[in-house]
């Protein structure tokens, strides 16, 4: 048994160190191999090798379901290692690298079945166990691969489509609006300020102005956009800063506010975002031209 188990351990460690940097990559293959050799190699020597020897002792005395018992002995310790090193069991699948210990143990199991248990490589069992490491890989890495592919497709579509073009319809007049655009795959990389600013007596460059004598509905249109947007308006009511959130293209603005450039931020479900100012003249001058 010792000779076979040493052979199982050596082949398994080599296979894991060769395959892991490909299936669970880092910045480079060499960097990944060094890290996996230092950390993973130590874990495989301290846990993987003793476990595969333990499996040999137990399965030698087992009369039923030998292959299933062998599988559970190899997988369960690796599963506990993954929980300890990465996340609680309920969120384990959210981290692809949490699958590394389980992937390594599945390699140990497959090699052990071939060399020590001497399964019939032409039988149906052999065909099934070779799928186990692949299944572990897809279980942990598959979601991130599909998400990455979706983001790549989305990025290509957005690049072809172009940024949304903003226009404001006010009192029957369509006013083109200068806006800034941002898109990231997860929506977290777009940062923006939310503060309006008081309007001086003269016009501000690149800020379109409207004159409001009563509460009004601002009707925006967004060419090249996909889906229904959510509009956020940030303004000062003379006492404090306020925020309005509305789904769709329209938003209501009161005229009892100081003259200011209201900050608008528009977001879509595909993580596109535009931001712009609209100057509002109400006849109420801001105190000292500051808020």
């Amino acid at each position: 048994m010792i000779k076979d188990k040493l052979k199982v351990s050596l082949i398994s460690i080599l296979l894991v160190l060769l395959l892991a940097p490909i299936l669970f990559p880092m910045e480079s293959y060499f960097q990944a191999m060094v890290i996996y050799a230092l950390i993973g190699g130590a874990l495989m020597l301290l846990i993987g090798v003793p476990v595969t020897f333990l499996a040999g002792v137990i399965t030698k005395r087992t009369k039923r379901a030998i292959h299933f018992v062998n599988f559970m002995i190899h997988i369960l310790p690796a599963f506990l290692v993954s929980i300890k090193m990465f996340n609680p069991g309920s969120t384990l699948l959210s981290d692809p690298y949490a699958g590394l210990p389980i992937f390594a143990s599945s390699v140990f199991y497959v090699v052990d079945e071939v060399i020590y248990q001497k399964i019939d490589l032409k039988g149906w069992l052999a065909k099934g166990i070779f799928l186990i490491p692949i299944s572990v890989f897809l279980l942990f890495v598959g979601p991130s691969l599909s998400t990455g592919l979706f983001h790549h497709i989305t990025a290509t579509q957005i690049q072809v489509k172009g940024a949304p073009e903003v226009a404001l319809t006010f009192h029957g007049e369509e006013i083109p609006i200068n806006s800034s655009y941002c898109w990231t795959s997860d929506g977290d990389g777009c940062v923006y300020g939310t503060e309006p600013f008081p309007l001086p007596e003269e016009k501000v460059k690149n800020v379109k102005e409207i004159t409001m004598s009563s509460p009004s509905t601002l009707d925006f249109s967004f060419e090249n956009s996909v889906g229904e947007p959510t509009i956020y308006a940030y303004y000062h009511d003379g006492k404090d800063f306020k925020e309005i959130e509305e789904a769709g293209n329209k938003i209501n603005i009161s005229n009892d506010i100081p003259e200011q450039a209201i900050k608008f931020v528009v977001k879509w479900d595909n993580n596109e975002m535009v931001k712009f100012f609209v100057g509002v003249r109400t006849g109420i001058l801001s105190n000292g031209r500051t808020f």
Side-chain angles (χ1 to χ4, degrees):
M1 182 183 88
I2 295 178
K3 183 179 179 180
D4 284 342
K5 285 296 183 178
L6 288 175
K7 189 183 298 185
V8 167
S9 300
L10 178 60
I11 294 175
S12 299
I13 291 173
L14 290 175
L15 284 175
V16 171
L17 293 181
L18 289 172
L19 294 175
I22 300 174
L23 301 178
F24 299 85
M26 295 184 180
E27 291 185 5
S28 70
Y29 182 88
F30 177 76
Q31 179 198 48
M33 178 172 283
V34 170
I35 293 175
Y36 293 151
L38 293 175
I39 300 176
L43 287 173
M44 286 187 285
L45 289 173
L46 292 174
I47 300 176
V49 174
V51 164
T52 198
F53 270 88
L54 176 64
V57 173
I58 294 177
T59 55
K60 193 173 183 180
R61 301 177 182 179
T62 302
K63 296 182 179 180
R64 295 182 179 180
I66 295 176
H67 304 291
F68 177 75
V69 171
N70 192 30
F71 174 75
M72 295 304 294
I73 294 173
H74 277 89
I75 293 296
L76 285 179
F79 183 75
L80 296 176
V81 169
S82 291
I83 293 177
K84 184 67 175 179
M85 290 182 63
F86 294 93
N87 284 301
S90 59
T91 59
L92 200 62
L93 294 178
S94 64
D95 189 341
Y97 292 95
L100 262 171
I102 302 174
F103 171 78
S105 68
S106 69
V107 172
F108 268 81
Y109 167 71
V110 170
V111 176
D112 187 77
E113 286 286 309
V114 173
I115 294 177
Y116 181 74
Q117 299 295 342
K118 294 180 172 56
I119 61 169
D120 181 6
L121 293 178
K122 296 181 180 180
W124 64 268
L125 181 61
K127 297 179 177 64
I129 68 167
F130 283 115
L131 294 176
I132 293 175
I134 299 174
S135 301
V136 172
F137 166 74
L138 292 177
L139 180 64
F140 284 88
V141 182
S144 62
L145 289 176
S146 61
T147 300
L149 178 61
F150 171 77
H151 287 163
H152 174 72
I153 294 173
T154 303
T156 303
Q157 291 173 338
I158 287 176
Q159 186 177 12
V160 172
K161 175 183 70 65
E165 298 177 1
V166 185
L168 166 63
T169 300
F170 184 71
H171 292 172
E173 179 186 1
E174 184 174 281
I175 306 169
I177 301 295
N178 295 316
S179 62
S180 298
Y181 171 76
C182 179
W183 178 85
T184 60
S185 60
D186 57 7
D188 293 335
C190 295
V191 296
Y192 56 90
T194 60
E195 292 189 0
F197 62 87
L199 287 176
E201 293 182 3
E202 66 276 7
K203 290 187 177 181
V204 179
K205 186 178 180 180
N206 294 328
V207 175
K208 299 294 185 178
E209 293 185 4
I210 58 175
T211 300
M212 294 174 47
S213 58
S214 61
S216 301
T217 298
L218 306 189
D219 187 357
F220 293 98
S221 62
F222 306 99
E223 295 293 332
N224 295 334
S225 65
V226 178
E228 184 179 69
T230 300
I231 302 178
Y232 301 86
Y234 303 94
Y235 69 98
H236 198 283
D237 67 356
K239 296 180 180 179
D240 201 359
F241 290 97
K242 301 292 183 180
E243 174 188 343
I244 304 175
E245 176 184 345
E246 291 290 344
N249 291 36
K250 299 180 180 180
I251 193 165
N252 297 318
I253 301 296
S254 176
N255 68 317
D256 59 352
I257 60 175
E259 294 187 344
Q260 60 190 284
I262 300 177
K263 179 65 175 285
F264 289 91
V265 177
V266 184
K267 300 179 180 180
W268 286 266
D269 289 340
N270 64 355
N271 298 324
E272 285 189 287
M273 184 188 78
V274 293
K275 51 186 178 179
F276 53 88
F277 288 97
V278 173
V280 176
R281 297 288 185 182
T282 61
I284 304 174
L285 301 180
S286 59
N287 184 19
R289 298 291 176 187
T290 60
F291 288 140

